Amino acid sequence: MNLSNVYFVIGTSYAGKSTVVKNLAKKHSGIALEENYHDAKLPELDSREFPNLTYTRDLRDWHEFIRRTPDEYVTWLENVKKECEIVEFQMIEELLGKPEAQGKKIFVDTNICIETLRRISDTRHVLVMLADPEIGIHRFFDRPDPEKQFLYRLMLEEPDPQAALDNYREILTRVMSKESYEELLHSGFRVLFREEERSQEETVRLAEEIFGLE
């Protein structure tokens, strides 16, 4: 694939990845592949080939999802990321072949791992966005998006809601670990840190500078 017009954004939760991807695409008349864009392929995935991605698709009782131990959850998530890479590359390749994408810049909120991005791209096409992991851990359920509120309601339905919440916060602590943060910070790609006082417009300008966009 020719990825010269593809710009990848990777990083931690609450860092503003989806927002900057959407705003860059709008400003540059490009295409935004926003958070979890691979979900569009989910209905057609074979569970034998993608057992981790299809786990939630085929789940009958969502209480099972929140009852998993932190070890089980983290193992599942790592495998999800590997399967996501395959699906994301398929979708990017399909998009690059479409007439409407020719000559357009494509901005991707990606699950592709740092090691793969080092192989396929360069410092002018990858942006790392970071927020303090504590924000994601302690404000996870503050967001109004339906998925997080759905999980929150499930925990409140458990026989011991506080134990369910504590278990999930331990999961978040594992997922948003200092080690993961440090790996992204020292990836070799340019980094933007979350700053509450910075406007979306200012963030876009900083991202443009990193990507070498006019």
Side-chain angles (χ1 to χ4, degrees):
M1 284 185 282
N2 179 0
L3 299 174
S4 58
N5 275 337
V6 182
Y7 299 85
F8 298 98
V9 180
I10 193 170
T12 60
S13 297
Y14 286 85
K17 302 186 299 296
S18 287
T19 301
V20 80
V21 160
K22 181 171 59 179
N23 288 338
L24 282 167
K26 182 178 180 180
K27 184 173 180 179
H28 292 273
S29 300
I31 298 170
L33 297 180
E34 298 181 47
E35 183 180 16
N36 296 329
Y37 69 92
H38 60 271
D39 283 351
K41 284 278 189 182
L42 195 55
E44 63 192 69
L45 295 182
D46 187 331
S47 60
R48 293 167 297 182
E49 185 178 1
F50 299 98
N52 296 282
L53 271 175
T54 57
Y55 167 77
T56 52
R57 183 196 69 185
D58 301 336
L59 193 60
R60 293 182 180 273
D61 182 1
W62 272 86
H63 285 89
E64 293 179 16
F65 182 87
I66 62 168
R67 289 171 184 162
R68 290 179 297 173
T69 66
D71 285 344
E72 289 170 334
Y73 191 99
V74 170
T75 299
W76 169 75
L77 191 59
E78 289 302 314
N79 289 326
V80 164
K81 289 179 180 178
K82 294 174 184 176
E83 294 175 7
C84 274
E85 280 201 13
I86 299 170
V87 177
E88 285 195 35
F89 278 127
Q90 289 174 351
M91 296 180 73
I92 292 171
E93 185 172 24
E94 290 171 6
L95 180 58
L96 289 172
K98 293 180 179 179
E100 60 267 29
Q102 301 309 304
K104 288 197 172 184
K105 292 177 171 56
I106 301 170
F107 300 94
V108 188
D109 181 353
T110 189
N111 291 285
I112 297 171
C113 72
I114 286 292
E115 290 82 2
T116 302
L117 289 172
R118 288 195 190 106
R119 291 198 302 271
I120 67 169
S121 195
D122 56 53
T123 55
R124 278 297 195 181
H125 290 81
V126 178
L127 166 63
V128 175
M129 299 187 72
L130 297 177
D132 185 338
E134 292 297 315
I135 295 175
I137 294 168
H138 295 291
R139 292 174 54 185
F140 187 80
F141 295 115
D142 292 348
R143 282 184 170 180
D145 61 272
E147 289 182 0
K148 291 181 176 60
Q149 292 309 308
F150 172 67
L151 292 177
Y152 185 66
R153 288 195 300 273
L154 286 175
M155 291 175 208
L156 295 182
E157 293 170 3
E158 287 291 288
D160 187 342
Q162 189 57 54
L165 286 166
D166 290 344
N167 181 65
Y168 207 80
R169 291 207 184 278
E170 176 60 26
I171 287 170
L172 294 173
T173 300
R174 301 271 192 97
V175 172
M176 303 178 193
S177 67
K178 182 180 179 181
E179 290 75 18
S180 298
Y181 183 93
E182 291 291 323
E183 181 185 17
L184 289 163
L185 178 61
H186 301 294
S187 65
F189 295 116
R190 296 279 296 277
V191 175
L192 273 182
F193 296 95
R194 176 190 173 97
E195 294 182 8
E196 296 288 350
E197 67 276 10
R198 190 173 63 218
S199 69
Q200 291 186 22
E201 292 76 13
E202 289 170 327
T203 300
V204 166
R205 286 197 294 272
L206 290 170
E208 287 174 322
E209 180 184 330
I210 290 169
F211 285 144
L213 302 173
E214 296 182 358

